[in-house]
Amino acid sequence: MEESVIFQWSVFRSLLAILQWWGFNVTVIIMNKWIFQKLDFKFPLSVSCIHFICSSIGAYVVIKVLKIKPLIVVEPEDRWRRIFPMSFVFCINIVLGNVSLRFIPVSFMQTIKSFTPATTVVLQWLVWRKYFDWRIWASLVPIVGGILLTSVTELSFNMFGFCAALFGCLATSTKTILAESLLHGYKFDSINTVYYMAPLATMILGLPAILVEGSGVINWFYTHEAVWSSLIIILSSGLLAFCLNFSIFYVIHSTTAVTFNVAGNLKVAFAVLISWMIFRNPISVMNAVGCAITLVGCTFYGYVRHLLSQQAPPPGTPRTPRTPRSRMELLPLVNDKLDDKV
């Protein structure tokens, strides 16, 4: 009886973690699109900078004031040698995501974002010559095919937004690969990651945001009808962006990798549905089919990664230059649980 109660509580906790993660993630995406489209605040660099500032303050409060999470101490020299390059890529990743959201629908942006596993595998193969099991490559076929179909049939296609989203995938993959080498020895969680990277990202993005968008933001202040209510929405999006990072910390400790993979792909479908209901962007039948193929491919990719991670290397396998040193060499360095920060 006691084991049954514990199991039920575990299932309830996992479900609660997933639902709150879905809620924060989809709300941030929808709010950002609303800011760009409905509030006419077409300044993705400034929105990203506001998110970084809110996340910096939030992480400081959680770690230093409330002491909910212990601070992971980083040596001063490592902050510039390791954390700063990561913060730069982190900054580029978030900015490209917001730029793409400025020009293309949420449904298209979320589908392209699912291309990240493919870019990560290809980058590791090209740069590190890392060996991958043929099943990893096979699992990427429906992802690539689905995104190609979605792109060709997208009724609201914008080349600039498409390129921003695509390069955002490359930035996410680069961030993941760099994290394996630059952050080696530091066991960062999502809150400590934000604590160290968000202030540096603010410093990196602050001047470009002022130079590129400063005059436009000032003009928006003087011409927009409901400035104060709009500012509340913009600042709220920054607060929710930090809460999203905290929700990722909670969901990591409440779900398995397989559950997270499936929930992550269902979350994309949920975001697409909600965004369509709010913004009513046109979606053709073939476009929806392409999105569905992409999500099925992502789920299959996650299943293959999990399957390979559970297998032991065959005993007595002869060594060749192409033989991986361990079974983990067959797996891409994709931390699916941490790629969702906004």
Side-chain angles (χ1 to χ4, degrees), residues 17-44:
I18 291 170
L19 289 176
Q20 56 89 32
W21 171 57
W22 278 15
F24 282 121
N25 186 273
V26 174
T27 302
V28 168
I29 293 171
I30 298 299
M31 285 188 73
N32 285 354
K33 186 64 177 178
W34 185 276
I35 289 168
F36 296 137
Q37 185 169 319
K38 301 295 185 180
L39 301 185
D40 204 35
F41 192 81
K42 304 181 185 299
F43 310 107

Side-chain angles (χ1 to χ4, degrees), residues 33 103-112 146-159 161-162 272 275-276 280-291:
K33 186 64 177 178
F103 291 98
I104 59 177
V106 172
S107 56
F108 191 29
M109 177 262 198
Q110 285 286 291
T111 304
I112 298 174
I147 288 176
L148 286 175
L149 179 59
T150 303
S151 302
V152 170
T153 59
E154 175 58 48
L155 299 177
S156 304
F157 186 86
N158 179 282
M159 180 57 72
F162 172 76
V272 169
S275 68
W276 177 80
R280 293 293 177 177
N281 57 289
I283 300 178
S284 66
V285 174
M286 293 307 296
N287 190 258
V289 170
C291 181

